[in-house]
Amino acid sequence: MLSPPLPLQSGLSIEFVSGLVDVTVAASTVLILAALGEIVAQKAGVLNLGLEGMMLFGALSGFVAATATGNLYLGFGAAILVGMAVAGLHAFLCISLKSDQVISGLMITLLGIAVTTYFGSSRNGEAIDGANEVMVPLVGEYLVQVPIIGEAFFRAAPTDYLALLLVPTVWYFLYRTNLGLELTAVGEDPATADTVGVPVFKLRYAATLFGGALAGLAGAHLSLVFSELWVNNIVAGRGWIAVALVLVARWRPFRALLIAFVFAGLDAFQVQSQGLDLGSGPVLSFLMDPTVMLMYPYLATILILWLASRGEVRERLGGPAALTQPYIREE
């Protein structure tokens, strides 16, 4: 028999905190996947402001493929391929044609919103049976009993585990492999990297495609696992949040993980705090209003992007020196 939840303070309980952590971890997966792909792309010198659009393409294509075939894994596969295809367009425009990366990314985001709204309107509100939660093999049944974090981290969807496993994998690739160091060199000084034989164009293409694959997967996770339905504009600004997250994390995978938890926690608190009594007063009532709380992640994103746009702040962040700069080889 379970013991009654222990009160932490007025209106809060262990049960509430456990639920908050559970929703936070689930909501963070989309941001982690998108941010990891963006980190790799930006480390190679390619800014991808089309994340929002690529995630929308992935969300719809994954949903359509999964409902048509009855197989969620085919849905994820379709989303990854579509994400890579859209990223390939961004790469062609920015790397081969030397187009402005900001304009190309914004164009892809607007294209994603328009195309998915047009083709997805007939399915608006349609639900799907999403992926079942699974436990860690062998020790999962014991780990889920760990207070507060057990259910959140050890009974989750496969894509939740994948996102967490990708964090150390991407870190190891970027900082402990020759290929990762070459990719970083391309993002810092492509001319010097080219002179020592590093394939600048191939690495920039590969990094952008990898980012597109994770953006598509993030979108599919949103429609097939987290929401288990399709609605127009389902991504709802998470692509922009992922871009801001990369700046705050200073292009470090583990920092991106922690900051994704913070952003997802703001979103989760809005959901979990409804009906929670934390006191009274006009200021607190306004701040705890669900419609106001919905704005918190986006206000934080606007603040971060504004700070990052200031030259001295961007310099202190220490981003890739050749970010957004096209590379033109001198013959």
Side-chain angles (χ1 to χ4, degrees):
M1 181 177 177
L2 295 175
S3 57
L6 300 174
L8 297 178
Q9 62 183 46
S10 178
L12 296 179
S13 66
I14 291 292
E15 188 178 48
F16 171 82
V17 177
S18 298
L20 181 63
V21 174
D22 196 14
V23 177
T24 296
V25 172
S28 67
T29 297
V30 174
L31 299 178
I32 294 169
L33 291 172
L36 289 177
E38 183 69 8
I39 286 175
V40 172
Q42 290 195 17
K43 292 287 278 186
V46 180
L47 175 66
N48 182 12
L49 293 183
L51 263 187
E52 182 87 1
M54 292 178 190
M55 292 167 70
L56 280 169
F57 277 117
L60 180 60
S61 59
F63 186 84
V64 171
T67 52
T69 63
N71 189 319
L72 290 177
Y73 292 102
L74 289 179
F76 286 120
I80 290 172
L81 291 177
V82 169
M84 291 179 70
V86 181
L89 172 63
H90 182 57
F92 177 72
L93 292 172
C94 300
I95 300 171
S96 296
L97 301 185
K98 324 297 183 192
S99 301
D100 188 290
Q101 295 181 10
V102 174
I103 294 175
S104 175
L106 292 176
M107 180 273 293
I108 287 176
T109 288
L110 295 175
L111 184 67
I113 295 172
V115 171
T116 57
T117 299
Y118 178 79
F119 288 102
S121 292
S122 61
R123 293 174 173 269
N124 208 24
E126 186 176 331
I128 188 173
D129 291 330
N132 295 324
E133 293 183 335
V134 296
M135 290 191 294
V136 176
L138 302 178
V139 295
E141 60 181 299
Y142 303 104
L143 294 176
V144 294
Q145 299 177 30
V146 175
I148 298 179
I149 64 171
E151 286 284 341
F153 285 97
F154 305 113
R155 190 198 302 276
T159 40
D160 294 326
Y161 294 123
L162 176 62
L164 294 175
L165 288 174
L166 277 173
V167 175
T169 303
V170 170
W171 174 86
Y172 185 84
F173 168 74
L174 290 175
Y175 295 99
R176 291 293 185 270
T177 67
N178 289 334
L179 188 59
L181 295 175
E182 288 179 353
L183 185 141
T184 302
V186 166
E188 294 293 341
D189 190 343
T192 301
D194 196 12
T195 58
V196 296
V198 175
V200 174
F201 295 105
K202 289 182 180 178
L203 283 181
R204 283 194 165 183
Y205 259 97
T208 308
L209 292 177
F210 178 76
L214 288 194
L217 180 60
H221 171 84
L222 193 57
S223 62
L224 300 180
V225 179
F226 188 69
S227 301
E228 298 186 345
L229 55 78
W230 165 259
V231 290
N232 289 335
N233 198 25
I234 190 173
V235 178
R238 291 179 176 86
W240 298 113
I241 293 175
V243 174
L245 189 156
V246 171
L247 295 174
V248 179
R250 296 187 176 186
W251 299 267
R252 305 290 179 87
F254 283 104
R255 288 184 183 176
L257 172 68
L258 296 177
I259 297 167
F261 283 153
V262 173
F263 275 103
L266 291 173
D267 200 16
F269 188 72
Q270 181 271 330
V271 175
Q272 294 293 103
S273 64
Q274 295 185 27
L276 184 68
D277 181 17
L278 291 177
S280 59
V283 176
L284 189 58
S285 298
F286 174 76
L287 294 175
M288 294 298 293
D289 188 299
T291 56
V292 175
M293 294 176 69
L294 274 174
M295 296 189 293
Y296 290 168
Y298 304 105
L299 291 175
T301 302
I302 292 171
L303 177 62
I304 290 167
L305 292 177
W306 175 71
L307 289 172
S309 68
R310 302 177 62 182
E312 66 276 17
V313 174
R314 187 170 62 247
E315 189 173 333
R316 283 204 299 271
L317 287 173
L323 182 63
T324 74
Q325 298 176 10
Y327 175 59
I328 302 174
R329 175 181 290 165
E330 296 182 3
E331 302 294 344

